[in-house]
Amino acid sequence: MKIKEIETSRINEVDFTNLEFGAVFTDHMFSCDYINGEWVNPEIIPYQPISVSPASRVFHYGQACFEGMKAYKDINNKIWLFRPDENYKRIIKSSLRLAMPEFPENLFFEGLNNLLKLDSDWIKPGLGNSLYIRPFIFATEGSINATEANQYKFMIICAPASSYYSGEVRVKIEKSFSRAAKGGVGYAKAAGNYAAQFYPTTLAKNEGFQQIIWTDSSNHEYIEEAGTMNLFFRIGNKLITAPTSDSILDGVTRKSLIQIAKDQGIEVEVRPIKVEELIDAAKNNTLVEIFGSGTAVVVLPIKGFGYENSKYELIQKENSWAIMFKNILNNIQYNLIEDPYNWTVEV
Ligand SMILES: Cc1ncc(COP(=O)(O)O)c(C=O)c1O
């Protein structure tokens, strides 16, 4: 692998105490091309603009997918990844659905490890600090024939991130728009899935909500997930989450929380959950908590939700499961406790 290092780091220009999520990138990036049926030219070079044809199929047909993962630094300055094999498996799943070639596992991890070692100063120790890692693949072939491309680029870029605080989050249960349909690409981290959410999310924001809870595209009867989070509901003394499907992303945080909850002796139900059930639970005060799970937020408590013309508020509980799960996950991710699951991988 070719490695070309920067001459002068930009790190001193960055205010790590005031980071906007995903807006500042580290000194280097990893890149690899798919040409004539082979992945070639793996290299790490200074972070910089790239040059591609305006006819690249990604711009016309959206042939692109990505991943989101994080690296954490512990108090001994060791760097840890959290279940990176799951992100690798998922980018392959996404690539296949979008008719893109599989990126080789050895190159993925070699590129990632070299990049993290080179940019390790950008990962700050301390709870809440991390490096958000964005691997992505897109079609570069310069021909607008509406078929899958023959040329692609795989890249990894990294953005330092600090503790995510979004204020109080209220969500709208969506009844008109859909994020993903049966048989579609909802389970893939396809770029277009996110573009499709922006407009309905803006409408929801105008109504005073921060995010949308998506429901099934057939009848808007069952709860699916949020924009970039899977969802959990604490009803009575049970934790309920929807099963993954072809319209729901199989979140790494979600599957980790299910495992942790079970090991905490919590009764977990992975089953379809109707909007109606949620409304009933809110009305009869058995709905105790709602929270989202995802790499960016880890666990995000949701304060209230809107459905049709009604708004529902959740009463803050002292022994919040969301906070408990966030602490346990953080302790594992930052190597503050022994990882009983072998989820963390040292770089
Ligand atoms: C649509 C969607 N659902 C759920 C998630 C949460 O997945 P993970 O826990 O792997 O970050 C994400 C973020 O990656 C997402 O984009």
Side-chain angles (χ1 to χ4, degrees), residues 90 179 189 194 225 227-230 249 251-253 293-295:
R90 198 167 61 189
R179 188 193 87 93
K189 261 180 108 67
Y194 298 81
E225 60 175 323
T228 54
M229 301 187 296
N230 296 108
L249 194 87
V252 181
T253 320
S293 71
T295 298

Side-chain angles (χ1 to χ4, degrees), residues 119-239:
D119 285 343
S120 64
D121 287 347
W122 291 78
I123 315 172
K124 300 296 178 195
L127 208 60
N129 297 325
S130 64
L131 188 73
Y132 183 82
I133 303 163
R134 171 54 62 87
F136 58 113
I137 311 180
F138 56 100
T140 50
E141 188 178 355
S143 142
I144 52 171
N145 187 3
T147 59
E148 75 268 29
N150 284 316
Q151 289 173 16
Y152 298 88
K153 201 179 254 303
F154 171 88
M155 300 189 74
I156 305 177
I157 55 176
C158 302
S162 54
S163 201
Y164 185 95
Y165 181 70
S166 53
E168 291 188 340
V169 174
R170 291 179 175 79
V171 293
K172 175 187 176 184
I173 301 182
E174 184 59 55
K175 272 207 77 179
S176 313
F177 295 101
S178 299
R179 188 193 87 93
K182 246 193 142 8
V185 298
Y187 69 91
K189 261 180 108 67
N193 284 344
Y194 298 81
Q197 299 189 72
F198 297 155
Y199 176 63
T201 305
T202 302
L203 297 182
K205 282 182 179 161
N206 292 342
E207 292 175 50
F209 302 102
Q210 282 71 44
Q211 293 204 27
I212 285 179
I213 290 189
W214 297 102
T215 50
D216 68 282
S217 62
S218 313
N219 302 313
H220 299 290
E221 200 181 345
Y222 289 94
I223 287 174
E224 299 219 308
E225 60 175 323
T228 54
M229 301 187 296
N230 296 108
L231 292 168
F232 287 86
F233 304 92
R234 176 180 175 185
I235 298 181
N237 53 7
K238 288 181 188 161
L239 187 64

